[in-house]
């Protein structure tokens, strides 16, 4: 007897790529260098170096850190660089900028780590809905990664997709040879 319902999605050969699942789960924190300013105005090198030396940097272990200065002050570039020397051994990722810049950096890192061979000649559905907001730039970046290898790319859910790209037969034949 033939089954009443056939799961055409399961039999379609579609490969779902969920950008949300690639993102590092670590806590996001902001390091505001304004807390190191003398009278909220200037950064004193001697004091800052002492702070860098004596601060407990383990509080940033595995975290993702956005480095900002919310005060209207001129902070020398070397101060951010010095801060990075301590975060390097503790934070998972750190960036200069706000939490939005941090998310962008995390997505860039995740997309760069994708092994494109998993998607070679595949029909890929880039998942569009989820629990974590995925910035538009990440969808554009994933296209740059997938277009050279995928046979087709769609957006949405496997049961309801928006077709975006399909490799032409001439390109597919030339690739196979």
């Amino acid at each position: 007897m033939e089954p009443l319902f056939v799961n055409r999605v399961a039999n379609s050969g579609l490969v779902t790529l969920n950008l949300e699942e690639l993102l590092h789960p670590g806590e996001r924190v902001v390091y505001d260098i304004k807390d190191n300013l003398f009278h909220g105005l200037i950064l004193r090198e001697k004091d800052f170096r002492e702070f860098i030396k004596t601060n407990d940097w383990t509080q940033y272990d595995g975290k993702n850190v956005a480095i900002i200065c919310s005060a209207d002050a001129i902070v020398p570039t070397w101060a951010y660089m010095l801060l990075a020397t301590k975060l390097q051994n503790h934070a998972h990722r750190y960036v200069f900028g706000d939490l939005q810049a941090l998310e962008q950096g995390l997505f860039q890192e995740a997309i760069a780590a994708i092994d494109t061979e998993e998607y070679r000649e595949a029909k890929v559905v880039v998942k569009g809905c989820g629990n974590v907001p995925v910035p538009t730039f990440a969808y554009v970046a994933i296209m740059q990664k997938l277009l050279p290898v995928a046979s087709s790319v769609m957006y949405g859910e496997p049961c309801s997709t928006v077709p975006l790209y399909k490799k032409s037969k001439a390109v597919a034949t030339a690739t196979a040879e």
Side-chain angles (χ1 to χ4, degrees), residues 54-163:
T54 60
N55 188 50
D56 177 16
W57 297 101
T58 60
Q59 64 184 307
Y60 297 100
D61 285 350
K63 294 181 181 175
N64 299 292
V65 183
I67 304 167
I68 65 166
C69 182
S70 63
D72 188 18
I74 298 172
V75 177
T77 303
W78 62 260
Y80 297 108
M81 296 169 70
L82 188 59
L83 184 57
T85 66
K86 292 301 182 177
L87 290 172
Q88 177 67 29
N89 295 325
H90 297 282
H92 169 261
R93 176 123 170 122
Y94 55 90
V95 300
F96 176 77
D98 59 14
L99 289 172
Q100 186 176 358
L102 178 60
E103 285 303 308
Q104 182 165 341
L106 289 168
F107 272 109
Q108 286 171 329
E109 177 182 65
I111 290 169
I114 291 173
D115 179 8
T116 55
E117 288 306 308
E118 293 180 36
Y119 303 100
R120 184 159 303 282
E121 299 307 318
K123 297 174 186 173
V124 182
V125 177
V126 179
K127 190 169 170 148
C129 299
N131 299 323
V132 175
V134 176
T136 303
F137 96 86
Y139 289 107
V140 173
I142 198 61
M143 290 301 286
Q144 188 173 25
K145 193 91 170 180
L146 292 174
L147 289 177
V149 296
S151 68
S152 66
V153 180
M154 296 156 273
Y155 172 82
E157 299 294 328
C159 61
S160 174
T161 61
V162 176

Side-chain angles (χ1 to χ4, degrees), residues 166-175:
K166 185 169 184 160
K167 190 180 286 184
S168 72
K169 294 195 187 295
V171 172
T173 305
T175 306

Side-chain angles (χ1 to χ4, degrees), residues 23-51:
L23 202 53
H24 187 265
E27 182 182 349
R28 279 89 167 125
V29 296
V30 174
Y31 182 91
D32 194 344
I33 207 164
K34 79 167 174 54
D35 298 331
N36 299 106
L37 299 177
F38 179 70
H39 293 294
L41 299 171
I42 60 171
L43 187 83
R44 292 171 53 179
E45 182 177 357
K46 183 179 179 185
D47 295 343
F48 188 63
R49 286 188 180 276
E50 182 61 26
F51 168 78

